[in-house]
């Protein structure tokens, strides 16, 4: 008899476990995980300004933003960008560009500028953009509209001509007396830029003072730091301490690997490169589960204070890998919406709001076509959602993403974010079909029923562990309750 009892336990316990988890196909009853997957917190050594908490950022490449390619021409777009709901503008490098070893495309007959990241002088403005008065007026106009603006700085290198390399060659990395080009984090040689010697204390002090100059003289609100992966953490610690003595700042790192130590000493945010690459793979047919696995790994590695910038487009992706339609096809809106509701800060790349369907040239004159199909209402709706739902705020100011298991996880990504503190009641349930074909699913939310409101249609919808949810290709639902 005892043997029959043990045999029954061996059979029934695993069966009960799978019914409880609700992940079998066809689906069985289950419960949603209430485990908040927050890792050990990073304790920052600085204070972040309040305006970063629910910020949405918008990237501007002055050279291609308008036909004129000037600061004055950018001003005519500011009210439109403000009306979207954008909080922070990221201004790509505004410095003069080196002529020596300048990168161009021989077959391109349009005016050659070279890479904006091959700067010749960190204390000057590219004359094609305007002068100091024009920049002062642009920054003031941005502030008058209640927005902030960060400057794209190039901390790891310069171009091959200009003040630093001509008058201070000892500030650069040398081998056998020869200044060395930059080697990227992927091992690629970038021949148009020269590597700074980050062990040189004179260069380090000049580097710090340049940052201070742009805050003091032009009232920028922080920096986006290019190739932040190449800079020692000690630089960032000293820089943040010096900048915070001038004004509160927001710092964005082009890095993903060194997030924990960078978040601790300097940066609120870094790049969600991995999230972007996983989204592209899913658009190509990879299972949706890979995204959740990645984002959970990121949280464990980076801690709770900082957050990643999520995107479907930026200047690198657009130029070198493709437009939104090239990378995501009919799923462009779906994946873009996802960047607004997963953990992190969403980025809008200039032109996305008019369905930019062009790879903007990086080295030559080019121009955004602003007559494309409008997505203004789409972005306004998403930004309003980000601002109004506390659960979706950035980093520790919002709520962690909790996976809701479902019966079609290869195609459907379902999760919840909820924040019930400080007088807020914010509960956001997201169900995304990340595939190019219709799918249906049942959510594993236990024995309870929830009455929610569809954010886009305002229709009430009840979800429970018995109801089948049908989604068209790349359809998504964002439910509030």
């Amino acid at each position: 008899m005892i043997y029959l009892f043990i045999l029954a336990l061996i059979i029934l316990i695993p069966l009960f476990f799978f019914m409880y988890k609700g992940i079998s196909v066809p689906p069985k009853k289950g419960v949603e995980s209430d485990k908040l997957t927050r890792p050990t917190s990073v304790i920052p050594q600085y204070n972040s300004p309040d305006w970063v908490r629910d910020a949405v950022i918008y990237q501007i490449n002055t050279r291609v933003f308008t036909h004129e390619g000037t600061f004055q021409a950018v001003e005519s777009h500011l009210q439109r960008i403000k009306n979207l709901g954008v909080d922070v503008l990221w201004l790509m490098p505004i410095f003069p560009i080196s002529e020596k070893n300048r990168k161009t495309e021989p077959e391109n007959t349009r005016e050659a500028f070279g890479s904006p990241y091959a700067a010749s002088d960190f204390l000057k403005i590219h004359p094609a953009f305007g002068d100091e008065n024009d920049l002062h007026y642009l920054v003031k106009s941005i502030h008058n509209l209640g927005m902030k603006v960060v400057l794209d700085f190039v901390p790891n290198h310069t171009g091959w001509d200009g003040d630093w390399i001509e008058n201070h060659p000892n500030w650069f990395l040398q081998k056998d007396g020869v200044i060395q080009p930059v080697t990227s984090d992927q091992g690629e040689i970038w021949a148009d830029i020269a590597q700074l010697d980050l062990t040189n204390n004179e260069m380090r002090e000049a580097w710090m003072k340049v940052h201070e100059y742009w805050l003091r003289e032009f009232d920028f609100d922080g920096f986006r730091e290019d190739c932040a992966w190449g800079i020692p953490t000690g630089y960032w610690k000293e820089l943040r301490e010096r900048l915070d003595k001038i004004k509160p700042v927001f710092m964005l790192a082009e890095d993903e690997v060194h997030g924990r130590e960078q978040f601790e000493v300097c940066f609120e945010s870094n790049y969600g490169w991995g999230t972007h690459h996983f989204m592209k793979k899913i658009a190509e047919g990879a299972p949706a589960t890979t995204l959740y696995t990645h984002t959970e790994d990121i949280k464990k590695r980076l801690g709770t204070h900082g957050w990643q910038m999520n995107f479907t487009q930026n200047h690198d992706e657009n130029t070198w890998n493709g437009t939104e339609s090239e990378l995501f096809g009919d799923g462009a809106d779906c994946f873009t919406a996802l960047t607004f509701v997963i953990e992190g800060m969403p980025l809008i790349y200039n032109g996305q709001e008019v369905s930019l369907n062009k790879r903007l040239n990086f080295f030559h004159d080019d121009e955004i076509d602003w007559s494309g199909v409008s997505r203004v209402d789409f972005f306004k709706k998403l930004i309003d959602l980000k601002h109004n739902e506390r659960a979706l705020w950035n980093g520790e100011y919002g709520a962690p993403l909790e996976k809701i298991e479902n019966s079609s996880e290869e195609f459907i990504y379902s999760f919840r974010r909820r924040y019930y503190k400080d007088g807020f009641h914010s509960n956001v349930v997201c169900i995304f079909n990340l595939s190019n074909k219709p799918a249906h699913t049942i959510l594993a939310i236990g024995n309870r029923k929830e009455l929610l409101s569809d954010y886009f249609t305002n229709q009430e919808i009840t979800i429970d562990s018995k109801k089948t949810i049908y989604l068209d290709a790349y359809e998504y639902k964002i439910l509030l309750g």
Side-chain angles (χ1 to χ4, degrees), residues 314-331:
N314 61 30
H315 64 277
D316 285 312
E317 285 297 298
N318 173 266
T319 297
W320 308 118
N321 296 323
T323 64
E324 264 189 300
S325 60
E326 288 180 286
L327 298 178
F328 298 100
D330 293 337

Side-chain angles (χ1 to χ4, degrees), residues 104-121:
T104 62
E105 299 171 353
E107 70 281 2
N108 195 318
T109 59
R110 304 194 72 170
E111 182 180 0
F113 280 86
S115 169
Y117 295 92
S120 64
D121 194 324

Side-chain angles (χ1 to χ4, degrees), residues 159-347:
W160 287 93
D161 53 45
D163 176 46
W164 282 22
I165 199 165
E166 292 171 1
N167 298 318
H168 306 280
N170 60 312
W171 290 5
F172 291 79
L173 184 66
Q174 298 189 21
K175 182 178 181 180
D176 299 326
V178 178
I179 295 175
Q180 298 298 294
V182 173
T183 300
S184 78
D185 55 342
Q186 304 297 319
E188 180 183 357
I189 301 298
W190 291 339
D192 63 329
I193 45 181
Q195 175 66 57
L196 291 167
D197 180 359
L198 300 169
T199 66
N200 187 293
N201 288 330
E202 287 184 0
M203 189 282 296
R204 177 174 177 148
E205 180 60 22
W207 187 95
M208 297 289 173
K209 287 182 175 178
V210 166
H211 282 84
E212 292 171 327
Y213 169 79
W214 291 104
L215 254 64
R216 283 199 176 103
E217 298 301 319
F218 293 91
D219 202 22
F220 279 96
D221 300 293
F223 295 92
R224 179 265 186 189
E225 298 285 347
D226 185 61
C227 297
W229 43 263
I231 308 300
T233 303
Y235 268 67
W236 299 131
K237 184 177 188 300
E238 180 182 353
L239 177 64
R240 184 65 188 241
E241 290 171 353
R242 292 172 67 154
L243 296 181
D244 280 343
K245 291 177 181 178
I246 301 172
K247 65 179 298 186
V249 294
F250 165 69
M251 299 293 289
L252 168 63
E254 190 204 10
D255 193 1
E256 187 169 35
V257 176
H258 304 96
R260 183 173 281 268
E261 58 263 40
Q262 289 178 347
F263 287 161
E264 182 179 6
V265 301
C266 185
F267 292 96
E268 278 84 6
S269 185
N270 69 7
Y271 265 52
W273 279 120
T275 298
H276 176 74
H277 294 321
F278 274 102
M279 289 194 302
K280 288 197 297 185
K281 290 178 181 178
I282 292 170
E284 295 170 353
T289 50
T290 58
L291 181 58
Y292 180 76
T293 301
H294 168 75
T295 55
E296 287 300 292
D297 177 64
I298 285 292
K299 284 193 288 187
K300 292 174 184 176
R301 289 197 286 112
L302 299 188
T304 63
H305 174 73
W307 55 86
Q308 296 208 296
M309 180 180 71
N310 300 315
F311 51 88
T312 53
Q313 286 277 275
N314 61 30
H315 64 277
D316 285 312
E317 285 297 298
N318 173 266
T319 297
W320 308 118
N321 296 323
T323 64
E324 264 189 300
S325 60
E326 288 180 286
L327 298 178
F328 298 100
D330 293 337
D333 280 359
C334 175
F335 284 97
T336 298
L338 187 61
T339 66
F340 278 79
V341 291
I342 60 175
E343 292 186 51
M345 174 181 67
L347 166 70

